């Protein structure tokens, strides 16, 4: 059963962090925001964070979540988020509140030492439990061959480990560091006034993305299949993708060999090759009234039409 707290919306609008002006990447660090977007708005993104224990593995990834430019643009258009310049926000926060940052570092260090102490004590208790079991087993074996004199002092080498050590951990103990997934606290939550320009997206691919998203589909990057989007009818944790989507301009020419190759590729992986583009509503020769009425999510001047290509023979 899903906890009710996990379904609550974050404070809107929430920040999407842009970490570079040269290579624009849009990241989310808050797991509650990531979960809410996936369940409520069909936004998937891609986890890119590696595990601290295995920084070179790329199978089990975690936070942060990188959004596709189309996903970030859609969230901005809906007023759910704003783009925050990660570098400028951190510089401003560190320079404006050095005292608060120092206090936060001291608190984090105390928590790290407390965690390290708890781990060491737990290991000591486990070790002593094993030693006690070994001691009992050795006494049981020796009692089979001879009677143990109760007056004789027991000189077992395990006597010294009967009680947990109450001595404090030495000053050389390495603290367990805990890396938070968000920068606030200690920094204040970014304000919308620090917003950066909108993401740069391809007009044809964004039109197709927005159209499919409004129809209830989930979309992930389609690089592994040579397309722009892998289109899922529901959450990818429950469904396989049904389409491999590629956006085109309405008047763009598509090479016949590309069309055949893409269609065969889609059929080979048991998916449909979906192409789509935005067409002007004034072009009465290319649209119908039903198509116009079904495109409520599109602009007044354009709407999106899609076609599915499947390979039917050899």
């Amino acid at each position: 059963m899903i906890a009710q707290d996990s379904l609550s919306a974050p404070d809107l609008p929430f920040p999407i962090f842009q970490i570079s002006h040269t290579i624009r990447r849009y990241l989310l660090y808050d797991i509650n925001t990531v979960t809410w977007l996936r369940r409520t708005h069909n936004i998937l993104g891609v986890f890119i964070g590696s595990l601290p224990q295995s920084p070179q593995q790329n199978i089990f990834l975690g936070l942060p979540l990188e959004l596709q430019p189309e996903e970030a643009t859609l969230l901005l258009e809906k007023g759910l988020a704003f783009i925050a310049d990660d570098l400028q926000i951190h510089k401003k926060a560190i320079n404006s509140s050095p005292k608060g940052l120092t206090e936060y570092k001291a608190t984090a260090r105390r928590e790290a030492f407390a965690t390290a102490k708890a781990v060491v004590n737990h290991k000591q208790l486990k070790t002593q439990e094993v030693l006690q079991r070994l001691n009992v087993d050795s006494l049981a074996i020796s009692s089979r061959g001879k009677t143990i004199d109760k007056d004789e002092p027991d000189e077992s080498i395990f006597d010294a480990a009967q009680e947990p050590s109450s001595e404090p951990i030495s000053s050389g103990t390495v603290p367990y560091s805990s890396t938070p997934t968000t920068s606030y606290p200690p920094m204040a939550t970014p304000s919308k006034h620090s917003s950066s320009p909108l993401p740069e997206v391809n007009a044809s691919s964004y039109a197709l993305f927005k159209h499919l998203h409004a129809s209830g589909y989930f979309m992930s990057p389609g690089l592994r299949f040579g397309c722009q989007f892998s289109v899922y009818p529901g959450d990818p944790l429950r469904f396989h993708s049904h389409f491999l989507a590629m956006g085109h301009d309405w008047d763009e020419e598509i090479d016949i060999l590309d069309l055949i190759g893409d269609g065969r590729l889609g059929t080979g992986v048991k998916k449909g090759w979906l192409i789509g583009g935005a067409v002007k509503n004034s072009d009465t020769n290319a649209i119908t009234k039903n198509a116009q009425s079904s495109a409520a999510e599109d602009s007044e001047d354009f709407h999106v039409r899609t076609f599915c290509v499947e390979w039917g023979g050899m």
Side-chain angles (χ1 to χ4, degrees):
M1 184 175 180
I2 301 175
Q4 186 66 26
D5 292 341
S6 64
L7 296 176
S8 59
D11 295 334
L12 300 178
F14 57 84
I16 298 175
F17 292 96
Q18 178 182 336
I19 62 173
S20 174
H21 289 284
T22 305
I23 304 175
R24 295 192 175 184
R25 306 178 71 178
Y26 305 95
L27 306 181
L28 293 176
Y29 292 88
D30 189 357
I31 187 60
N32 295 325
T33 303
V34 171
T35 304
W36 179 76
L37 287 176
R38 188 182 186 107
R39 290 175 175 168
T40 309
H41 293 280
N42 300 0
I43 298 296
L44 297 176
V46 179
F47 285 107
I48 62 173
S50 61
L51 300 174
Q53 296 87 347
S54 305
Q56 294 183 347
Q57 65 85 31
N58 59 356
I59 299 176
F60 303 103
L61 299 177
L63 293 173
L65 180 87
E66 182 174 358
L67 296 173
Q68 300 180 75
E70 292 82 5
E71 293 174 325
T73 302
L74 183 67
L75 293 175
L76 265 63
E77 284 189 356
K78 290 187 174 183
L80 299 176
F82 64 94
I83 302 296
D85 189 324
D86 187 71
L87 177 60
Q88 295 300 325
I89 289 175
H90 276 78
K91 283 185 176 180
K92 182 179 179 180
I94 292 174
N95 295 332
S96 62
S97 58
K99 182 179 180 181
L101 184 61
T102 303
E103 294 176 354
Y104 176 78
K105 288 182 177 179
T107 303
R109 185 170 180 82
R110 287 194 298 268
E111 293 177 353
F113 273 109
T115 304
K117 182 177 180 180
V119 172
V120 172
N121 289 338
H122 178 71
K123 288 183 178 179
Q124 290 177 349
L125 290 175
K126 297 293 289 185
T127 301
Q128 290 166 10
E129 290 177 1
V130 173
L131 294 177
Q132 289 177 359
R133 286 199 300 269
L134 292 175
N135 188 22
V136 172
D137 294 341
S138 63
L139 291 176
I141 294 174
S142 62
S143 63
R144 296 176 184 174
K146 64 178 182 178
T147 303
I148 300 178
D149 188 358
K150 296 182 179 180
D151 296 332
E152 182 181 353
D154 188 1
E155 298 179 355
S156 172
I157 61 174
F158 302 107
D159 285 347
Q162 295 299 321
E163 295 295 333
S165 175
S166 59
E167 296 181 0
I169 300 176
S170 63
S171 59
T173 301
V174 178
Y176 277 53
S177 59
S178 176
T179 304
T181 59
T182 60
S183 298
Y184 39 90
M187 300 179 182
T189 305
S191 62
K192 192 174 181 179
H193 299 289
S194 58
S195 181
S196 298
L198 292 176
E200 295 181 359
V201 295
N202 182 279
S204 59
S205 63
Y206 180 66
L208 179 61
F209 176 89
K210 186 177 181 180
H211 172 77
L212 294 174
H213 182 272
S215 300
Y217 289 99
F218 288 72
M219 278 162 288
S220 66
L223 181 60
R224 69 177 65 182
F225 296 112
C227 61
Q228 290 176 331
F229 309 109
S230 294
V231 184
Y232 299 82
D235 195 299
L237 295 176
R238 300 178 57 194
F239 297 92
H240 289 289
S241 60
H242 284 190
F243 304 105
L244 306 178
M246 199 77 178
H248 295 277
D249 293 329
W250 184 253
D251 297 327
E252 180 181 351
E253 294 185 0
I254 304 176
D255 191 284
I256 186 62
L257 294 180
D258 291 338
L259 196 62
I260 294 174
D262 296 339
R264 294 186 66 178
L265 171 63
T267 304
V269 294
K270 299 181 180 180
K271 308 177 194 307
W273 185 267
L274 186 145
I275 58 177
V279 58
K280 290 183 178 180
N281 288 337
S282 58
D283 188 0
T284 57
N285 294 326
I287 59 176
T288 64
K289 293 182 179 180
N290 292 333
Q292 291 178 4
S293 61
S294 64
E297 77 283 358
D298 300 316
S299 66
E300 296 180 357
D301 297 329
F302 295 88
H303 82 278
V304 176
R305 297 192 69 188
T306 57
F307 305 87
C308 188
V309 180
E310 295 184 6
W311 185 254
M314 298 296 291

